[in-house]
């Protein structure tokens, strides 16, 4: 039977480099500015030759920090969240942190399970995007009690509870207002909406933006022109199918994935975009510019939001307070899916 390989220790590294264990520790923890370059080089060479890896658990017991941030998102298949997590991971690494990612699959019970799991791993902070289920009154109260009892700094990203100050999100109402203004400027006054779950602040605020822009023109949005569902392709298909039977000239989908579904419903109904129906999206996913009819949409500044998320959670980890919630505006991207009725 092959003998198990002995784990290399910091003392082994010190012996190989001809220095003390304390000196090795200083180099490994980046506190070696006062050491001669020759000493630092010998330590790094010994670490490489011995394939030494620090014991993260032992280090955490000493420093009371793991340098790990837990991230819980509702749907990794959603292009917005997958791109955001990629930027968060890259940005947080610049500050010497790693992430543990959990995907709740839009289920509240998974939110609670993963938050407890991450707390058990002694993460330094939590970045949370709760599932749609977590916004019922009962589940929201359960979430608040859970977070209050953990005593871990946390930050809500994109989705949040109304009274929660620690949050970073796009300014959904202002962004949706701008999208609706664009449709109105192009002569579209009869607009149908494919919304996300109206339990979510993102969807509710986007709907507020639509209604505010219409109200300023003396117009309204009847309830039967609002189709509520998920931020997914299937909702776009179903919403588009229902709304195309109404007297409308444009559909504003609250996500690009929904907009792709609207495209499919228009194709099935024999409608041409934008000649027969105009379509507006929200997100600016990677596919939106390469569709047969490129999609006009609101571009969420995902990289900027991710950087703000990292800056905010690390500030909270350091014991600082967030004075105000951080909101980032989305930018209008004009493409070919909206016709100009003013020139008809």
């Amino acid at each position: 039977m092959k003998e198990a390989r002995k784990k290399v220790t910091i003392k082994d590294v010190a012996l190989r480099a001809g220095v003390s264990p304390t000196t090795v520790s200083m180099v490994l923890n980046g506190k070696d500015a006062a050491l001669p370059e020759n000493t630092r080089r010998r330590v790094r060479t010994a670490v490489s030759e011995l394939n030494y890896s620090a014991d993260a658990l032992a280090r955490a017991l000493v420093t009371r920090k793991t340098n790990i941030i837990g991230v819980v998102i509702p749907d990794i298949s959603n292009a917005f969240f997958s791109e955001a997590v990629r930027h968060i991971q890259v940005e947080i690494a610049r500050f010497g942190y790693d992430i543990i990612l959990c995907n709740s699959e839009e289920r509240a019970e998974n939110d609670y399970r993963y938050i407890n799991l991450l707390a058990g791993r002694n993460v330094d902070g939590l970045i949370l995007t709760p599932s749609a289920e977590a916004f019922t009154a009962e589940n929201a109260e359960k979430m608040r009690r859970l977070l209050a009892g953990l005593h871990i700094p946390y930050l809500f990203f994109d989705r949040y509870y109304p009274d929660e100050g620690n949050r970073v999100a796009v300014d959904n109402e202002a962004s949706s207002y701008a999208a609706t203004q664009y449709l109105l400027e192009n002569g579209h006054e009869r607009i149908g909406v494919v919304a996300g779950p109206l339990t979510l602040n993102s969807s509710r605020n986007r709907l507020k933006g639509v209604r505010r822009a219409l109200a300023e023109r003396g117009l309204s949005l009847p309830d039967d022109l609002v189709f509520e569902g998920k931020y997914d392709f299937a909702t776009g298909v179903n919403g588009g199918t229902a709304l195309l039977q109404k007297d409308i000239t444009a559909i504003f989908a609250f996500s690009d994935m929904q907009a792709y579904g609207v495209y499919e419903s228009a194709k099935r109904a024999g409608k041409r975009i934008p000649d027969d129906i105009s379509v507006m999206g929200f997100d600016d996913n990677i596919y939106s510019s390469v569709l047969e009819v490129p999609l006009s949409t609101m571009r969420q500044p995902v990289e900027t939001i991710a950087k703000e998320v990292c800056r905010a959670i690390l500030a909270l980890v350091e014991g600082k307070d967030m004075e105000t919630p951080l909101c980032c505006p989305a930018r209008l991207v004009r493409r070919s899916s909206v016709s100009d009725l003013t020139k008809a």
Side-chain angles (χ1 to χ4, degrees):
M1 181 176 176
K2 189 175 180 180
E3 185 179 350
R5 182 181 176 184
K6 181 183 176 183
K7 180 175 176 62
V8 177
T9 68
I10 198 169
K11 290 182 179 180
D12 297 324
V13 176
L15 185 63
R16 174 68 68 93
V19 299
S20 70
T22 300
T23 297
V24 174
S25 180
M26 291 172 66
V27 173
L28 293 177
N29 290 291
K31 299 178 180 179
D32 56 357
L35 297 176
E37 173 56 32
N38 181 52
T39 300
R40 296 197 295 266
R41 185 167 55 250
R42 292 206 314 272
V43 171
R44 289 194 293 266
T45 299
V47 167
S48 177
E49 290 176 349
L50 295 173
N51 292 319
Y52 172 76
S53 59
D55 189 326
L57 178 59
R59 184 169 57 198
L61 289 172
V62 174
T63 64
R64 296 184 180 276
K65 287 190 65 178
T66 58
N67 280 52
I68 294 175
I69 302 296
V71 181
V72 181
I73 59 169
D75 183 5
I76 193 62
S77 68
N78 183 311
F80 170 74
F81 291 120
S82 58
E83 185 179 357
V85 167
R86 179 173 67 86
H87 287 300
I88 288 171
Q89 184 173 24
V90 170
E91 181 67 13
I92 209 81
R94 293 181 56 243
F95 298 92
Y97 284 77
D98 292 306
I99 69 169
I100 296 178
L101 175 64
C102 299
N103 177 45
S104 74
E105 298 182 342
E106 293 284 15
R107 297 174 61 187
E109 63 180 286
N110 286 341
D111 287 328
Y112 312 135
R113 181 164 69 90
Y114 288 136
I115 290 171
N116 279 311
L117 181 150
L118 293 167
R121 298 293 180 90
N122 296 312
V123 296
D124 294 331
L126 293 167
I127 297 170
L128 306 173
T129 307
S131 64
E133 289 183 356
F135 285 84
T136 66
E138 180 181 355
N139 286 337
E141 181 57 29
K142 184 177 178 181
M143 176 73 82
R144 290 187 177 96
R145 288 198 306 269
L146 173 61
L147 292 172
L150 293 177
H151 304 291
I152 297 174
Y154 63 87
L155 175 77
F156 285 98
F157 159 53
D158 186 61
R159 301 177 183 178
Y160 53 85
Y161 299 116
D163 56 349
E164 182 55 62
N166 292 347
R167 66 178 192 253
V168 177
V170 74
D171 189 335
N172 285 292
E173 182 176 349
S175 302
S176 184
Y177 174 87
T180 308
Q181 285 281 68
Y182 173 62
L183 291 173
L184 290 167
E185 288 166 4
N186 281 277
H188 297 279
E189 296 186 342
R190 301 188 307 279
I191 302 169
V193 167
V194 179
L198 292 175
T199 54
L200 299 179
N201 56 277
S202 57
S203 193
R204 288 198 310 274
N205 289 339
R206 287 174 197 179
L207 192 57
K208 284 182 183 177
V210 175
R211 293 190 188 279
R212 179 159 65 90
L214 289 170
E216 289 180 358
R217 294 287 188 96
L219 303 171
S220 63
L221 179 64
D223 290 342
D224 67 340
L225 293 187
V226 179
F227 186 94
E228 180 184 0
K230 298 179 180 179
Y231 286 123
D232 61 6
F233 181 85
T235 293
V237 173
N238 295 332
T241 300
L243 291 172
L244 285 172
Q245 300 178 44
K246 309 290 185 179
D247 181 23
I248 58 173
T249 63
I251 294 176
F252 180 13
F254 282 3
S255 76
D256 281 8
M257 284 302 299
Q258 291 174 331
Y260 304 158
V262 172
Y263 272 50
E264 176 63 21
S265 68
K267 179 180 178 181
R268 294 178 186 178
K271 303 282 187 180
R272 296 170 300 166
I273 299 172
D275 297 339
D276 300 318
I277 187 73
S278 291
V279 181
M280 186 77 194
F282 199 110
D283 283 333
D284 197 25
N285 291 343
I286 188 171
Y287 305 109
S288 297
S289 64
V290 297
L291 296 171
E292 183 176 354
V293 180
L295 178 66
S296 295
T297 187
M298 298 301 296
R299 177 179 296 163
Q300 296 212 58
V302 183
E303 185 173 0
T304 299
I305 294 173
K307 288 181 177 180
E308 291 291 354
V309 164
C310 294
R311 184 177 68 81
I313 190 60
L314 293 181
L316 292 171
V317 167
E318 293 171 3
K320 302 174 183 177
D321 293 327
M322 286 186 64
E323 295 182 0
T324 57
L326 294 170
C327 291
C328 306
R331 181 170 68 85
L332 174 64
V333 179
R334 299 172 177 84
R335 295 197 180 105
S336 307
S337 62
V338 175
S339 63
D340 187 352
L341 299 184
T342 66
K343 296 180 180 180

